[in-house]
Amino acid sequence: MSRIFITGGTGYLGTVLVRQALAAGYTVFASCFSQTPPATAGATWAVLDVRDPQAVAAQFNQCRPDLIIHTAYLQTGPDVLPVTAEGAGNVARAAAAVGARLIHLSSDVIFDGEREGAYTEADPPAPITLYGEAKARAEALVAAAHPAATIVRTSLIYGFAPLDKLSRFALDVAAGRVATQLFTDEYRCPVYVEDLAAALLELGGIPYRSVLHLAGAERVSRYTFGVLIAQRYGVDPAGIPAGLSAASLTRRPRNCTLSSDRAAALLQTRLRGVREVFQAIGRQGG
Ligand SMILES: NC(=O)c1ccc[n+]([C@@H]2O[C@H](COP(=O)([O-])OP(=O)(O)OC[C@H]3O[C@@H](n4cnc5c(N)ncnc54)[C@H](OP(=O)(O)O)[C@@H]3O)[C@@H](O)[C@H]2O)c1
């Protein structure tokens, strides 16, 4: 595996993937969509709309990647299905046509969140949001077009340099800049972006197919995550209003705990829990 193509290279995860892949010695190709291609030394950038199957196929034909990591997506807006679902299908077909290994990024919100325990790779998708539906549809399209692809389901992605959008939001809530509650009954397994990128690159070298959960080792509520982030940045967590997702007017997946036991057995890279990461990185570190 020496040539890698990262779709969504300008995204939060994609940026770290590009950096880590370059450091690992890959020949790196990456795509962006609305942003100007960054001047990352060593990477070759392309502007690519994954909704355009011919453009995706032409790009892969030209770059001839051994490994493709598909992170590009949209979470909201009228183009969610064309970009997130159909776009993933386009990427999978084009990846199969050039014989490239494909890792597709999916999400824990493909589940309805109604279960008490953790979801495993064997659990079938049951989305209850438009974004969840798009991701579930993407999984099906990818599996059909590229049966050897790995579908990676992950959870909330966070990091510190720069701070991710979830953490920024929690700090805004804690500081009273945004008036809302953080839910004490909505559980996720936040994953540190550096751990996730390293695990994805390691996975690229392993012929594992089908679904794999890559999420942080610790399950926390959105409220607890907000408290931990506030404490890390010296903001008083007492300012965070606690609420119940169950009482919200919008139906939201509540318990999206993912079991990553299979990944722990398969990979050297550890997907640490939030408290372990915060402790390891310290208050000022990045
Ligand atoms: N963030 C999370 O907490 C989380 C949780 C679970 C799963 N995931 C999954 O992890 C992956 C990465 O998430 P992220 O937060 O790193 O994403 P992100 O920061 O929102 O970046 C999205 C990327 O998709 C690109 N993009 C948007 N529309 C496109 C189009 N039509 N054609 C091609 N590229 C397009 C964007 O390019 P431009 O910026 O250049 O427009 C950007 O590089 C996604 O697949 C997501 O579903 C994320």
Side-chain angles (χ1 to χ4, degrees), residues 10-13 33-35 48-50 71 131 135 155 157:
T10 40
Y12 194 73
L13 172 62
F33 173 59
S34 63
Q35 296 190 55
L48 181 65
D49 185 347
V50 295
T71 79
Y131 170 50
K135 281 302 211 184
S155 187
I157 303 171

Side-chain angles (χ1 to χ4, degrees), residues 247-268:
S248 152
L249 294 176
T250 318
R251 192 169 170 229
R252 298 163 53 98
R254 285 205 291 275
N255 176 25
C256 286
T257 306
L258 295 182
S259 162
S260 299
D261 290 352
R262 191 180 288 181
L266 187 72
L267 303 175
Q268 303 283 323

